[in-house]
Amino acid sequence: MKRSKDRYIKIREEDSGERFDPGLYTGEVSIDDLQRNEAFDEHAPKEVPDVMYSQVWLQQKDDHGAGEKFQMIKNEVTIGSGSGNSIQIEDPLVSEKHSRIRRIDGGYYLYDLISDCGTLLNGRKLLRPKLLHDWDEITIGRTILIFRAIR
């Protein structure tokens, strides 16, 4: 649920105890700060995992059927066109740091890292971190990844 600007200012003033004027803020914010803050927003509403998975992987979907399989062994996997990602995708529509999948409390959550073209989950634009379920379809650029899991 979105908060109005007035509601945000009121909450901010209550939390800090001083008057907050959004027009006075002149600090600069870098893309890295936005990606870090967006990706690890602890106040984002979380769905509670209903299933615990023993094995998890991403299956790339291509025109001829199943493509490459990416095992998810680590608690965090980054996806993008840059070489520093866990999964590197060669696609001109994929940002250098595009998406992240993070394991939290036994569930796997998909984050968009403020990418240029956005991340789609089951055909819908990802606006906040979402819990992934078996057979969920993640679209990054022109690349489709299927989230697969075994209980």
Side-chain angles (χ1 to χ4, degrees):
M1 179 176 203
K2 287 189 173 183
R3 294 181 184 155
S4 69
K5 185 176 180 181
D6 294 335
R7 175 87 173 119
Y8 175 77
I9 291 170
K10 182 180 176 189
I11 291 170
R12 178 90 181 233
E13 288 173 354
E14 289 173 1
D15 289 346
S16 67
E18 47 187 70
R19 174 129 172 75
F20 176 73
D21 183 357
L24 295 177
Y25 180 75
T26 59
E28 291 186 25
V29 178
S30 71
I31 292 294
D32 289 336
D33 289 338
L34 287 172
Q35 288 176 341
R36 184 173 32 261
N37 290 340
E38 180 69 20
F40 296 105
D41 186 3
E42 294 171 0
H43 303 292
K46 291 182 188 172
E47 297 175 62
V48 178
D50 53 348
V51 177
M52 299 292 277
Y53 299 119
S54 62
Q55 288 184 0
V56 176
W57 68 94
L58 294 174
Q59 185 74 49
Q60 186 172 349
K61 185 177 171 183
D62 61 22
D63 295 336
H64 309 291
E68 194 170 350
K69 182 178 181 178
F70 304 99
Q71 289 287 346
M72 295 183 48
I73 300 168
K74 298 180 181 179
N75 285 332
E76 182 178 290
V77 172
T78 56
I79 305 167
S81 61
S83 60
N85 292 293
S86 308
I87 299 173
Q88 187 177 1
I89 297 175
E90 299 295 328
D91 183 336
L93 297 177
V94 175
S95 299
E96 186 173 342
K97 290 182 180 179
H98 199 101
S99 299
R100 171 177 285 134
I101 297 175
R102 192 166 188 224
R103 185 171 195 248
I104 303 171
D105 298 330
Y108 290 85
Y109 294 83
L110 176 64
Y111 297 79
D112 181 69
L113 298 179
I114 310 172
S115 58
D116 293 335
C117 295
T119 302
L120 301 180
L121 178 61
N122 298 321
R124 299 183 71 188
K125 186 167 181 148
L126 187 68
L127 301 175
R128 67 181 62 86
K130 286 288 193 177
L131 178 65
L132 292 171
H133 302 280
D134 194 20
W135 289 103
D136 275 348
E137 188 174 281
I138 303 165
T139 306
I140 298 172
R142 292 186 197 120
T143 305
I144 298 173
L145 301 168
I146 308 296
F147 179 80
R148 291 303 327 266
I150 298 174
R151 293 181 186 203

